[in-house]
Structure formats: structure tokens, C-alpha cells
Amino acid sequence: GPKFWPKVSPKKTWSGTSAGWAAAAIVGGVFALSSGGGVALVLVSVLISMASQAGDIAESALKRAMDVKDSSALIPGHGGVFDRFDGMLGASAMVIILMLLGALPNGVA
């Protein structure tokens, strides 16, 4: 399918990206129904998913700028150790920002 950002991450597609956002919305919806978190929890889930993908894209852009294939040699063939955590770093940054703004639904953080 159409590529999301081919110069930075040539294998990412818009279908995979949007499927990730949709899956986050579904998971957020399930938790919203079971916890009473409301519709805001769905939005927060999608924002965190977007931030996770942004972390992955940022790490890919950094590797391309440095002209390296892997961020380390500790896990051969997997893009390096940082490649295993780039999405988590983006997601945690979004959670911290949402916490500081007081934008998380009650009972989430």
C-alpha cells in the first residue's frame, strides 16, 4: 500500500499506521467501557499510539541521518536495542505531557 514516510521508514504503510490508530481506539474503548473512563480514554489511547509511532519514526530518521542501519549490535537484525524501545519512549513522553496538562481521564494515571 501507499507508504507513510518512505524517505524515513520505507516499510511503513498508511494502512499499517491507521490500523495501529484504530486498534488503539478499540482498546481504549474497551477500557473506557469497563472502567467508566468515558470517550476521553479513546482519544488518549489514539494520542499515545500516535506518539509511539512518532518515536519510531524519529528513531528511524536519526539512524538515516547518521547513516547507520542499526542503533547497536547487541540484538543483530533487529535495528539495535534502541529500536526495541523507541515507540515506548514516544508513548511515555505523551503520557507525561498529558499528565502535566491534567488531560488524562480520572483513574488513568
Side-chain angles (χ1 to χ4, degrees):
K3 302 300 181 192
F4 179 69
W5 199 342
K7 286 187 177 185
V8 175
S9 190
K11 293 183 181 179
K12 287 202 185 326
T13 62
W14 272 106
S15 58
T17 299
S18 56
W21 297 340
I26 291 168
V27 170
V30 168
F31 278 95
L33 290 173
S34 64
S35 70
V39 178
L41 191 53
V42 175
L43 178 60
V44 164
S45 296
V46 173
L47 284 174
I48 292 170
S49 172
M50 289 176 167
S52 175
Q53 290 177 346
D56 182 55
I57 290 289
E59 197 261 347
S60 294
L62 182 62
K63 287 194 307 189
R64 290 208 181 276
M66 297 291 126
D67 199 29
V68 296
K69 179 163 176 28
D70 296 337
S71 58
S72 75
L74 291 174
I75 308 174
H78 286 265
V81 172
F82 190 51
D83 218 36
R84 301 295 98 202
F85 297 100
D86 53 8
M88 194 181 320
L89 291 170
S92 13
M94 178 58 75
V95 169
I96 290 168
I97 290 168
L98 292 172
M99 285 175 64
L100 291 173
L101 293 173
L104 290 177
N106 289 335
V108 171

